[in-house]
């Protein structure tokens, strides 16, 4: 168990402290080597258990916006940080932003059932409709925005512009707010 803790510490230290301090080419070479190491250490059960136990504490308050990593298949990618880069807290895979993370996620997990739309809240093309689960609802087919982290229980398509929007209830006109405003502006 002690060896697993040391290995967890070393892998994390190299990713968090050493890689950022290296020059570009050297950093890229080390990152490639670390990816190979990461694939191999995932076969060590004590390492996996130690790492997951440590991450459980780190991720306990963000379970509703934590999705499965398309690389290591661990529940360790926290979405909803805006357009900032995303990473897997378990395997350290990094994406330049939510769009890139969503592309990889969609290719592995959601390509059959989900589709990607513009988010009604943040207006980024990062809304995965009926295609994701979270730690809280692992088997769910939730509608989640990988950019703002919003979960939509109901989503509709605007009859005018065809963008997605969150319906307002019984008085919903079948249009997004922008199209409703445009219609009222004509009067």
């Amino acid at each position: 168990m002690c060896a697993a803790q040391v290995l967890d510490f070393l892998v994390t230290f190299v990713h968090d402290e050493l890689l950022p301090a290296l020059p570009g080419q050297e950093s890229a070479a080390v990152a490639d080597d670390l990816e190979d190491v990461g694939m191999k250490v995932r076969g060590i059960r004590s390492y996996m258990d130690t790492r997951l136990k440590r991450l459980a504490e780190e991720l306990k308050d963000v379970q509703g916006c934590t999705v499965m990593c398309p690389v290591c298949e661990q529940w360790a990618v926290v979405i909803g940080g805006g357009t900032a880069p995303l990473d897997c807290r378990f395997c350290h895979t990094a994406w330049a932003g939510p769009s890139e993370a969503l592309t990889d996620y969609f290719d592995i997990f959601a390509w059959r059932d989900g589709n990607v739309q513009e988010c009604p809240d943040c207006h980024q093309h990062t809304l995965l409709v009926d295609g994701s689960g979270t730690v809280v609802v692992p088997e769910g087919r939730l509608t989640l925005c990988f950019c703002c982290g919003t979960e939509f229980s109901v989503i509709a398509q605007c009859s005018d512009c065809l963008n997605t929007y969150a319906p307002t209830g019984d008085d919903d006109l079948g249009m997004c707010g922008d199209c409703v405003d445009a219609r009222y502006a004509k009067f």
Side-chain angles (χ1 to χ4, degrees):
M1 188 63 137
C2 186
Q5 290 172 327
V6 170
L7 185 57
D8 179 35
F9 169 79
L10 286 174
V11 170
T12 302
F13 179 79
V14 170
H15 276 281
D16 294 348
E17 304 297 329
L18 273 161
L19 277 180
L22 294 173
Q25 287 181 325
E26 196 174 335
S27 177
V30 171
D32 288 343
D33 291 341
L34 279 176
E35 189 174 321
D36 292 339
V37 169
M39 294 297 282
K40 290 179 177 134
V41 297
R42 284 184 220 135
I44 303 171
R45 184 82 246 153
S46 60
Y47 169 76
M48 294 287 289
D49 293 344
T50 299
R51 185 127 180 86
L52 290 171
K53 183 178 178 184
R54 185 176 61 76
L55 286 175
E57 181 64 27
E58 181 181 325
L59 298 172
K60 73 177 182 184
D61 294 331
V62 290
Q63 292 180 355
C65 58
T66 301
V67 299
M68 186 176 282
C69 175
V71 176
C72 68
E73 297 187 359
Q74 297 297 322
W75 295 96
V77 177
V78 179
I79 61 171
T83 58
L86 287 173
D87 68 325
C88 174
R89 308 281 173 92
F90 185 84
C91 72
H92 303 283
T93 297
W95 296 275
S99 293
E100 294 80 6
L102 176 56
T103 297
D104 286 353
Y105 185 91
F106 187 86
D107 288 347
I108 299 297
F109 300 121
W111 62 272
R112 286 189 189 127
D113 301 323
N115 65 73
V116 178
Q117 300 285 326
E118 181 179 302
C119 176
D121 280 3
C122 70
H123 304 290
Q124 298 294 313
H125 197 76
T126 52
L127 180 70
L128 181 55
V129 179
D130 295 333
S132 182
T134 63
V135 171
V136 176
V137 187
E139 299 300 320
R141 303 315 296 168
L142 304 174
T143 297
L144 294 170
C145 178
F146 272 54
C147 184
C148 67
T150 304
E151 177 188 341
F152 295 90
S153 57
V154 178
I155 200 83
Q157 188 173 37
C158 176
S159 61
D160 277 4
C161 70
L162 303 179
N163 285 332
T164 54
Y165 74 99
T168 56
D170 291 339
D171 60 345
D172 182 63
L173 300 173
M175 295 183 293
C176 69
D178 291 340
C179 290
V180 169
D181 291 345
R183 287 270 176 103
Y184 284 132
K186 290 179 181 179
F187 294 108

